[in-house]
Amino acid sequence: MTKQPNGILETALYVDDLNAAEGFYGGLVKLERVSRDGNRSVFYRCGQGMLLIFNPDESRISRGEGKAPVHGASGAGHVCFSISNEEMDTWRNRFQAAGVEIERDLRWPNGARSLYVRDPAGNSIEFAEPQLWGFEP
């Protein structure tokens, strides 16, 4: 019997300006950049997972056999980063100091807190406590 997956290895977002994405994810969010492929993609390590940032105009072009299939999306995507309650105000202050609007600061019915901002491409970026989904901090 096949077991269920034990985690999400990759999450992908789509942006039209990889340089602006690098400023946000590598500069402001401080993720470790693993690689960049021209104007096609930039990849970041986040804990035990990877955040893949693609330019949809480039990722919709086939690169041939032995390469990942074409893919892309339009419209705003969403990703949520796991942070502790103690870190929440530090992130809020970091975004405000950088001129990034805090779209929402929520306290959920189970007591977990989420902070929402938008990346330069308009993707919804959430920073939340693991307890939001019943995970231990």
Side-chain angles (χ1 to χ4, degrees):
M1 175 184 280
T2 303
K3 292 175 35 178
Q4 72 180 41
N6 64 6
I8 295 174
L9 184 61
E10 302 173 347
T11 299
L13 291 175
Y14 295 88
V15 306
D16 56 2
D17 184 342
L18 288 182
N19 292 329
E22 279 200 281
F24 185 83
Y25 294 102
L28 187 59
V29 180
K30 305 282 189 218
L31 294 179
E32 174 193 349
R33 187 177 91 170
V34 173
S35 66
R36 179 164 175 169
D37 182 5
N39 196 38
R40 183 181 178 84
S41 61
V42 61
F43 298 161
Y44 292 97
R45 184 177 319 283
C46 184
Q48 295 297 304
M50 295 292 296
L51 178 61
L52 312 180
I53 309 291
F54 289 101
N55 174 342
D57 293 336
E58 296 288 329
S59 65
R60 289 185 180 120
I61 299 170
S62 175
R63 295 182 88 179
E65 198 63 33
K67 301 285 186 180
V70 298
H71 53 82
S74 58
H78 173 75
V79 67
C80 179
F81 294 105
S82 176
I83 63 171
S84 70
N85 183 322
E86 295 75 30
E87 297 171 295
M88 198 68 68
D89 287 330
T90 300
W91 280 101
R92 182 182 182 81
N93 293 339
R94 180 184 292 184
F95 288 126
Q96 288 176 325
V100 174
E101 179 184 352
I102 306 299
E103 186 172 32
R104 193 92 12 98
D105 189 338
L106 290 177
R107 183 68 69 176
W108 295 97
N110 70 356
R113 185 175 170 195
S114 288
L115 186 67
Y116 290 84
V117 298
R118 295 279 170 170
D119 76 3
N123 290 301
S124 176
I125 310 303
E126 179 181 5
F127 290 75
E129 297 176 76
Q131 76 182 55
L132 175 63
W133 293 106
F135 297 117
E136 294 295 319

